[in-house]
Amino acid sequence: MSSLLLIGDIMPDMKNWSCIITVQEKQQVTDSMGTPTKKQKFVFYDSESSKVEGIIFNADIARMSPMLQVYKKYKISNADVRNIPPKFQTLGLTKQWVITSKTVIEEVNGSEDIMPVKFSFTQFADLAEYMDDRSKSVDVLGVVISSLAKKTITKNSKQSNVQKFVLLNEESQTVLLSLWDDFLNNEGQVLLNNMQSYPVIIGRRLKVTNYNGVALSTWFDSALLVDPPIQEARQLKNWAMRNAKLIAEIIDAKSYIKYNPALCFKPDQKTTLICNVIPSQKTAWVKAKLSFDHIFQKYWYMSCAKCCRATAADYGIEFTCNSCKEKGPAMPRCRFDVDLSDDSGVIPASIFGDLAENILTFTALEAMDHFNQNLELPLDFVHARLKTKTFLVHIKPVQTQLADARQRYTILYCSEVEPEFGHAQLTGEPESVSVSAHQQTENEHLLMTGDGGSGSKVRLRLSQKFDEAETVDSNDFKSSDANSKKKAKLG
């Protein structure tokens, strides 16, 4: 007869034991690196909140996995108990129960009203600290209020399905969470089926990405707990139900699809000298001057009002977008090129949407009207004002290089720097930065003024760089040809 023990009393190679546990987590089925082995991991806890890792391998997954559901209580007997090698330990768990087709599992009626497990959640405002660091992950708590369209993406000749879900916290901050493949097929379907009831999730071991400033994504060892029986989740659901009107307004405004500086901008934001910005960086912050008086351009493109992708549709005409598949009117969107410069160098960048209109002081519609009337925008005051200002700019590299092989960038965010802001705080860089002779020569050439060295001479003209019919990232569009001071040539 087996002895009923607690998790802490069960040792490797022990026989004739039983333990009553609750399933806290159920991960997706994953492949073992470099082997054909498939595995699925679980986290179990007992009445004293002690935890142990459960694992099922290969053919046993299909048979045994459906018997273990999150938040339910089971009596497990005589699983194979092993020590986990230190390099494979996660969550501080040192022992592993291997569940096989021989393991005895019996569901126990009744479960705790509140799961006696403590979580440490990362606040939305702190997510930027973990961005694009594969060695770090976060646990978050949020209520799911909406979802974006499902997409199929091909990476390394393999197709993957992904769908973004909108998470909201009690501070009314939103962040997008991408669910991939099995996460989308399993927990994602639960969320979609229960969206109207404000499902609350705990996302465990999520990765922080730089999409729209800050976003979240599932990873191979992530776990999603939908409506977990913990006090914080119930409080958040009650808050959501009380604030249904506010949530409806957030969904209607769709501000969550735009860059959110509140989540990625810090008052003491560190910056990098332009000469040290490299294309392999996912994003970079620079403190720079903006100039574009030497670049003759169109300042707008026609776009889908839903997803901002470029279109050949005429202004105001309802059409079905080839990118987002949504039907809506074609609308002009502001877009133009600038040079970002500091004392160390210059890089070309493109700016879009509201940010572009704020710098230009004209709307996209006004820019389009001037273009259609064969009139240049009166920008002398804007150019003069920009010479006296410095901006804190968040940039990301784009895949398409200029024809002279220089990397170009998209401006994600920019704000004027007050004079007392002082010098840029360098991220891991010395006060005196060493610049290569080649870089120094290029920078001097770019910074020169006059016929021989203006940016308009160095940079290729727009007619050589951009084709409005082509599109890339939703925040990074190629403009149509614009390389003449006459509309006839612009067109």
Side-chain angles (χ1 to χ4, degrees):
M1 183 175 178
S2 62
S3 301
L4 189 61
L5 304 175
L6 294 170
I7 287 175
D9 298 326
I10 300 170
M11 297 293 118
D13 303 320
M14 184 178 285
K15 306 296 182 183
N16 299 320
W17 60 267
S18 296
C19 183
I20 295 177
I21 58 89
T22 302
V23 180
Q24 175 187 317
E25 289 183 23
K26 182 176 182 178
Q27 298 181 22
Q28 307 300 328
V29 178
T30 60
D31 296 321
S32 295
M33 189 174 298
T35 73
T37 301
K38 293 187 178 296
K39 63 181 183 294
Q40 185 173 30
K41 291 184 177 181
F42 300 77
V43 176
F44 304 141
Y45 69 87
D46 63 16
S47 59
E48 291 190 350
S49 299
S50 296
K51 298 180 183 180
V52 69
E53 180 180 281
I55 191 167
I56 310 176
F57 291 102
N58 298 323
D60 289 331
I61 295 174
R63 184 178 303 175
M64 303 305 293
S65 178
M67 298 175 64
L68 295 167
Q69 299 299 321
V70 288
Y71 318 139
K72 289 193 174 182
K73 186 179 291 187
Y74 301 91
K75 180 181 178 181
I76 296 181
S77 302
N78 300 326
D80 182 13
V81 184
R82 302 176 182 176
N83 287 318
I84 305 175
K87 68 177 181 178
F88 296 117
Q89 292 177 9
T90 57
L91 306 174
L93 303 180
T94 61
K95 292 184 177 60
Q96 184 181 76
W97 294 358
V98 181
I99 308 295
T100 70
S101 58
K102 297 179 181 179
T103 305
V104 179
I105 300 177
E106 302 172 90
E107 185 172 351
V108 176
N109 292 328
S111 58
E112 297 94 352
D113 182 53
I114 295 294
M115 192 163 60
V117 176
K118 297 296 182 182
F119 296 92
S120 179
F121 300 119
T122 300
Q123 300 300 312
F124 285 11
D126 297 327
L127 291 174
E129 299 174 16
Y130 302 87
M131 190 185 301
D132 292 321
D133 188 340
R134 291 197 172 191
S135 67
K136 296 179 181 178
S137 60
V138 297
D139 292 353
V140 301
L141 175 72
V143 56
V144 180
I145 62 170
S146 185
S147 64
L148 278 60
K150 175 182 173 181
K151 293 184 178 180
T152 299
I153 295 175
T154 302
K155 296 177 67 175
N156 300 323
S157 302
K158 181 181 178 182
Q159 284 194 336
S160 290
N161 294 318
V162 62
Q163 189 166 6
K164 291 179 171 62
F165 291 77
V166 184
L167 299 187
L168 178 73
N169 64 12
E170 288 191 55
E171 287 74 42
S172 299
Q173 295 172 319
T174 57
V175 66
L176 293 177
L177 167 63
S178 295
L179 301 191
W180 291 85
D181 297 325
D182 288 341
F183 287 99
L184 180 57
N185 297 335
N186 298 322
E187 290 87 352
Q189 291 306 306
V190 175
L191 296 175
L192 292 170
N193 294 338
N194 295 278
M195 193 72 71
Q196 300 305 314
S197 63
Y198 303 116
V200 173
I201 67 164
I202 293 175
R204 304 217 65 194
R205 298 176 297 281
L206 301 175
K207 294 300 177 182
V208 183
T209 68
N210 63 20
Y211 181 84
N212 272 359
V214 172
L216 297 167
S217 179
T218 54
W219 194 242
F220 72 95
D221 66 342
S222 299
L224 294 181
L225 309 181
V226 181
D227 284 328
I230 66 168
Q231 193 63 41
E232 297 96 321
R234 294 184 178 182
Q235 289 174 350
L236 182 57
K237 182 180 282 283
N238 289 336
W239 174 86
M241 295 175 70
R242 293 194 308 270
N243 290 275
K245 183 178 179 181
L246 168 66
I247 292 175
E249 293 172 352
I250 292 173
I251 295 172
D252 185 59
K254 288 184 170 53
S255 58
Y256 45 76
I257 65 175
K258 299 179 181 178
Y259 180 90
N260 187 353
L263 293 187
C264 59
F265 171 69
K266 303 296 181 184
D268 59 345
Q269 184 66 55
K270 294 181 179 180
T271 61
T272 301
L273 290 176
I274 282 177
C275 68
N276 291 332
V277 174
I278 55 177
S280 59
Q281 290 176 269
K282 295 293 184 67
T283 65
W285 289 87
V286 297
K287 185 181 154 190
K289 297 280 189 181
L290 272 69
S291 62
F292 60 96
D293 53 339
H294 55 285
I295 309 171
F296 190 77
Q297 50 194 318
K298 189 176 174 181
Y299 299 112
W300 65 278
Y301 69 96
M302 196 63 70
S303 73
C304 167
K306 302 285 186 178
C307 72
C308 299
R309 294 278 185 172
T311 178
D314 292 328
Y315 171 53
I317 298 298
E318 293 272 338
F319 74 105
T320 300
C321 178
N322 294 327
S323 297
C324 68
K325 310 304 180 185
E326 295 282 336
K327 188 171 184 178
M331 298 294 292
R333 187 175 189 234
C334 195
R335 175 228 182 275
F336 60 94
D337 282 0
V338 300
D339 275 344
L340 300 177
S341 62
D342 63 13
D343 291 338
S344 73
V346 182
I347 52 176
S350 301
I351 186 168
F352 296 84
D354 294 340
L355 286 176
E357 290 186 353
N358 290 338
I359 297 294
L360 194 66
T361 70
F362 288 91
T363 66
L365 186 59
E366 290 170 331
M368 183 185 73
D369 286 343
H370 277 73
F371 175 81
N372 290 337
Q373 296 177 53
N374 200 26
L375 297 174
E376 291 187 28
L377 287 172
L379 296 174
D380 290 345
F381 173 76
V382 174
H383 295 314
R385 185 172 59 89
L386 287 177
K387 294 182 188 299
T388 67
K389 296 183 181 296
T390 301
F391 294 85
L392 183 65
V393 189
H394 195 190
I395 59 175
K396 72 170 183 178
V398 295
Q399 294 180 350
T400 305
Q401 290 184 331
L402 300 179
D404 60 1
R406 285 195 300 139
Q407 177 68 48
R408 69 184 180 94
Y409 293 81
T410 293
I411 295 176
L412 302 173
Y413 170 80
C414 70
S415 65
E416 186 178 342
V417 174
E418 296 297 330
E420 61 268 23
F421 182 87
H423 296 291
Q425 293 175 271
L426 307 183
T427 55
E429 297 167 0
E431 287 290 335
S432 177
V433 180
S434 176
V435 183
S436 68
H438 173 76
Q439 180 70 52
Q440 183 67 34
T441 301
E442 180 180 283
N443 289 342
E444 290 174 354
H445 180 58
L446 288 171
L447 288 168
M448 286 170 57
T449 58
D451 293 340
S454 71
S456 59
K457 301 295 184 182
V458 175
R459 299 188 63 184
L460 295 182
R461 294 198 180 264
L462 292 180
S463 60
Q464 296 172 294
K465 292 193 302 183
F466 300 112
D467 179 358
E468 192 170 80
E470 299 179 12
T471 60
V472 283
D473 186 273
S474 60
N475 286 321
D476 184 16
F477 298 95
K478 297 182 178 180
S479 177
S480 64
D481 298 349
N483 187 35
S484 169
K485 294 186 178 181
K486 297 297 180 183
K487 179 186 168 187
K489 293 185 180 179
L490 278 168

